[in-house]
């Protein structure tokens, strides 16, 4: 069979076979037999997944394998298969025992459609317009507005394909689909996930990562998922929590014979996680449920409270919207605190430009007060490295009027507990592992206000808090390094 050597996103045969094996193994584990019937790959390329289906006998013969691809130059498949050059998103009215494939993530799927084709997609599809429970927001068939059509053009092709996979499967039919990992982890895709969960039971998700051969030119991580089409959709995605058995989540071993190589430093594992947990955390990606995040606070004897109980305010600085802050010369002005200024000992004021006392950049809300924490909002080099610090006020002799955070940093106002203790916790395993877990598996590490407030904080007595303040004072004065605060936290929690 012809393999397209130069094809960008073609799945190598060995990888496709490995993915097929996971489908077989997972279905065997849960005791689900593939219903007899035909097999469809609606974006089949050279048909590698149809071969996989034949190998596992999900298709009785090549005649029951149907492959569709837009591109006549790549379209191919096992001899005797039914192959057509067509738009795989268009419902052919048939229902299949297995729908399998690696559909496009973006590109030609949606953007290059004519206005009429986009409108047709808008009418026939629900996934792009549903709420967090996966229910269609507007009535089917209703004409979309211009704003909706714009949004629809930017909507990922892969999510339309998920809906197509679901609708093409017969009740009890199996869907096996490679998707961007973000489909399982990002809050942006939560509604689409919910829609699928209403219509299909999730059997397993396998991280396929590290190597970029699957998505040449991008470092996009992908995940392979297996679902079983329900006979009837559930009223709400949440209802799956009450009835579905646990889901198999796996990250393949580091040295596979088939190149499903994990990212450097990552580990291999298989866990089974209950649907209530997946739904509550709104994360279906294996990475989030990696057992290495096992609760660092398990066995902690101190009372645990959500950090949010002690956060009086969180705000990030002005976005500017095309405006840049104007520099201030001479005494006065405000220090603009960026991520570079965030150091173990506090803020490096030499790294803070002085700006004029002008809105939108200088406003009381952005103005740091003693004991506030400064937390970089996102970024691998800052948040990803657990950089955060505390502000203790302008040093004596500094003639600036104050310091304001820029839009890349959060000002976190802590009340009712020593903020030095909070900083110590966030920067030792007990807090950092909670943060790492949340930010793992998403393209750009980012900690939302909700996630920050949800971190669990051990609350010690006043003596330990006073000691945390003393140790922080020594760190800020350059008399001790940050480890001394970590030692206090570790010692207290041990
Ligand atoms: C990521 S490639 C995967 C190909 C194949 N499934 C594999 O794994 O080797 C996606 C394929 O989808 C095709 N494609 C893109 N949009 C499509 C559409 N609307 N309908 C059918 N095929 C489409 C592309 O031509 C390409 O061959």
């Amino acid at each position: 069979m012809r393999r397209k050597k130069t094809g960008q996103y073609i799945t190598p045969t060995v990888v496709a076979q490995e993915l097929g094996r996971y489908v077989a193994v997972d279905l065997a584990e849960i005791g689900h037999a593939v219903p007899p019937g035909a097999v469809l790959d609606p974006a089949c390329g050279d048909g590698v997944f149809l071969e996989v289906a034949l190998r596992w006998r999900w298709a009785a013969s090549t005649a029951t394998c149907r492959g569709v691809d837009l591109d006549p130059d790549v379209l191919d498949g096992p001899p005797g298969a039914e192959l057509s050059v067509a738009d795989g998103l268009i419902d052919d009215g048939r229902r299949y025992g297995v729908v399998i494939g690696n559909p496009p993530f973006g590109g030609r799927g949606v953007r290059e459609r004519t206005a009429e084709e986009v409108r047709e997609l808008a009418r026939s599809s629900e996934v792009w317009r549903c709420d967090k429970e996966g229910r269609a927001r507007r009535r089917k068939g209703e004409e979309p507005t211009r704003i909706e059509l714009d949004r629809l053009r930017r909507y990922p092709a892969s999510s339309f394909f998920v809906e197509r996979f679901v609708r093409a499967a017969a009740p009890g039919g199996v869907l096996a689909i490679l998707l961007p990992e973000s489909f399982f982890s990002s809050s942006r895709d939560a509604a689409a996930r919910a829609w699928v969960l209403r219509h299909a039971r999730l059997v397993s998700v396998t991280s396929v990562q590290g190597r970029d051969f699957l998505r040449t030119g991008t470092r996009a991580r992908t995940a392979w998922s297996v679902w079983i089409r329900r006979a009837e959709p559930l009223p709400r995605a949440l209802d799956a929590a009450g009835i579905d058995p646990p889901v198999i989540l796996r990250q393949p071993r580091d040295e596979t014979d088939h190149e499903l190589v994990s990212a450097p430093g990552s580990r291999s594992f298989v866990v089974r996680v209950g649907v209530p947990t997946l739904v509550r955390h709104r994360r279906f990606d294996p990475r989030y449920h990696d057992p290495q995040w096992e609760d660092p606070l398990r066995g902690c004897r101190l009372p645990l409270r959500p950090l949010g109980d002690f956060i009086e305010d969180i705000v990030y600085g002005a976005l500017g919207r095309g405006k840049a802050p104007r520099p201030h010369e001479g005494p006065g002005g405000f220090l603009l605190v960026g991520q570079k200024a965030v150091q173990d000992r506090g803020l490096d004021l030499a790294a803070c430009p002085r700006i004029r006392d002008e809105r939108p950049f200088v406003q009381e809300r952005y103005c740091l007060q003693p004991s506030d924490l400064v937390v970089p909002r996102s970024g691998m080099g800052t948040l990803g490295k657990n950089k955060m610090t505390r502000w203790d006020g302008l040093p004596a002799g500094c003639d600036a009027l104050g310091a304001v955070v820029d839009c890349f940093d959060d000002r976190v106002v802590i009340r009712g507990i020593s903020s030095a203790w909070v900083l110590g916790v966030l920067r030792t395993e007990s807090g950092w592992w909670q943060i790492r877990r949340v930010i793992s598996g998403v393209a750009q590490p980012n900690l939302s206000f909700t996630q920050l407030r949800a971190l669990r904080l051990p609350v010690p007595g006043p003596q330990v808090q006073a000691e945390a303040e003393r140790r922080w004072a020594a760190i800020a004065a350059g008399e001790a390094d940050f480890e001394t605060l970590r030692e206090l936290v570790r010692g207290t929690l041990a």
Side-chain angles (χ1 to χ4, degrees):
M1 194 183 94
R2 180 168 63 87
R3 299 276 314 159
K4 189 166 182 275
K5 296 271 185 307
T6 53
Q8 284 204 310
Y9 306 135
I10 300 291
T11 316
T13 306
V14 283
V15 174
Q17 294 291 2
E18 177 80 353
L19 298 178
R21 197 172 61 80
Y22 291 132
V23 180
V25 166
D26 295 344
L27 291 178
E29 175 175 322
I30 63 166
H32 184 83
V34 167
V39 171
L40 170 71
D41 182 343
C44 72
D46 65 4
V48 64
F49 282 106
L50 297 177
E51 287 182 77
V52 170
L54 281 169
R55 173 169 169 207
W56 290 100
R57 300 187 199 285
W58 298 326
S61 69
T62 46
T64 56
C65 289
R66 176 160 154 74
V68 177
D69 203 287
L70 265 188
D71 185 349
D73 290 339
V74 294
L75 178 68
D76 205 346
E82 181 190 348
L83 304 174
S84 359
V85 175
D87 182 351
L89 284 178
I90 307 273
D91 193 342
D92 57 11
R94 301 192 225 165
R95 297 296 169 253
Y96 297 83
V98 172
V99 189
I100 187 168
N102 168 13
F105 291 2
R108 278 180 77 179
V110 186
R111 245 164 273 154
E112 289 175 17
R113 277 160 198 263
T114 64
E116 187 38 49
E117 284 168 343
V118 169
R119 222 167 277 128
E120 176 49 35
L121 194 58
R123 275 193 289 269
S124 61
S125 155
E126 282 184 357
V127 73
W128 64 281
R129 54 180 170 92
C130 48
D131 62 16
K132 290 265 185 256
E133 281 298 339
R135 291 171 299 207
R137 273 221 185 89
R138 291 180 312 105
R139 269 175 290 129
K140 203 171 167 186
E142 203 176 298
E143 279 300 312
T145 64
R146 184 183 291 213
I147 293 173
E148 283 177 323
L149 286 178
D150 262 6
R151 189 157 65 86
L152 187 111
R153 276 184 190 280
R154 291 192 305 270
Y155 198 73
S158 49
S159 296
F160 286 116
F161 268 98
V162 188
E163 177 169 359
R164 172 74 179 112
F165 272 57
V166 170
R167 292 196 191 279
V174 172
L175 10 151
I177 180 168
L178 193 76
L179 289 168
E181 193 183 59
S182 58
F183 181 82
F184 300 95
S185 63
S186 82
S187 47
R188 197 197 58 183
D189 291 329
R193 272 199 300 278
W195 186 90
V196 184
L197 197 58
R198 275 186 56 223
H199 291 80
R201 163 186 165 191
L202 181 56
V203 176
S204 67
V205 185
T206 301
S207 291
V208 179
Q209 48 180 324
R211 288 295 169 92
D212 38 6
F213 58 79
L214 285 175
R215 297 284 153 188
T216 307
T218 76
R219 300 223 111 238
R221 291 190 181 122
T222 56
W224 175 244
S225 58
V226 181
W227 309 72
I228 298 172
R229 170 83 198 251
R230 299 184 199 280
E232 290 293 330
L234 301 171
R236 297 174 314 153
L238 205 56
D239 297 325
I243 52 172
D244 286 353
V247 175
I248 302 162
L249 302 179
R250 74 160 70 74
Q251 185 154 282
R253 59 195 182 276
D254 278 317
E255 282 167 83
T256 56
D257 25 344
H258 300 319
E259 300 195 77
L260 286 177
V261 181
S262 302
S266 70
R267 328 153 52 253
S268 61
F269 62 87
V270 183
V271 285
R272 285 158 188 78
V273 180
V275 176
T277 307
L278 299 182
V279 169
R280 192 173 60 231
H281 290 255
R282 300 206 190 99
R283 293 284 295 253
F284 295 17
D285 52 321
R287 207 183 302 268
Y288 180 84
H289 298 278
D290 185 336
Q292 77 163 313
W293 308 128
E294 223 163 77
D295 194 351
L297 289 167
R298 217 175 32 178
C300 168
R301 286 181 307 261
L302 297 182
L304 295 175
R305 302 253 306 265
L307 179 56
D309 287 2
F310 303 99
I311 293 181
E312 190 179 270
D313 198 10
I314 318 186
V315 60
Y316 51 85
L319 292 170
R321 300 195 192 286
K323 267 202 205 165
R326 293 195 296 171
H328 175 96
E329 311 290 342
F334 278 76
L335 298 166
L336 183 64
V337 176
Q339 298 197 344
K340 270 204 203 108
V342 175
Q343 301 294 334
D344 280 358
R345 297 197 162 145
L347 292 173
D348 175 7
L349 300 189
C352 302
R354 231 179 244 228
I355 62 167
R356 295 190 197 180
D357 182 0
E358 286 175 341
R359 289 173 77 89
F361 303 99
V362 178
Q363 296 183 49
E364 204 182 329
R365 309 164 53 214
Y366 309 149
C367 211
L368 290 165
Q369 300 298 324
S371 93
D372 287 351
L373 299 185
V374 180
V375 180
R377 289 188 58 64
S378 63
M380 216 50 218
T382 48
L383 176 64
K385 290 198 170 138
N386 195 219
K387 284 198 173 172
M388 47 186 82
T389 198
R390 187 172 106 152
W391 171 250
D392 291 285
L394 289 166
C398 176
D399 58 15
L401 300 175
V404 289
V405 283
D406 73 3
C407 60
F408 301 108
D409 292 273
D410 289 337
R411 167 183 176 227
V412 183
V413 182
I414 302 288
R415 287 284 177 271
I417 193 164
S418 153
S419 65
W421 169 259
V422 175
L423 181 65
V425 170
L426 295 180
R427 298 198 57 197
T428 47
E429 302 73 27
S430 41
W432 174 224
W433 284 44
Q434 296 185 63
I435 297 171
R436 273 181 65 192
R437 180 179 185 189
V438 174
I439 67 178
S440 75
V442 286
Q444 170 75 317
N446 171 37
L447 198 60
S448 71
F449 288 177
T450 317
Q451 289 162 342
L452 192 66
R453 288 182 197 277
L455 298 177
R456 284 164 317 136
L457 182 77
V459 181
Q463 276 172 354
V464 171
Q465 293 190 42
E467 180 59 21
E469 289 293 321
R470 253 193 308 279
R471 293 196 186 197
W472 170 255
I475 295 164
E479 294 157 7
D481 61 25
F482 200 85
E483 272 314 298
T484 174
L485 193 51
R486 290 203 175 103
E487 280 159 17
L488 175 70
V489 172
R490 290 189 190 119
T492 308
L493 299 183

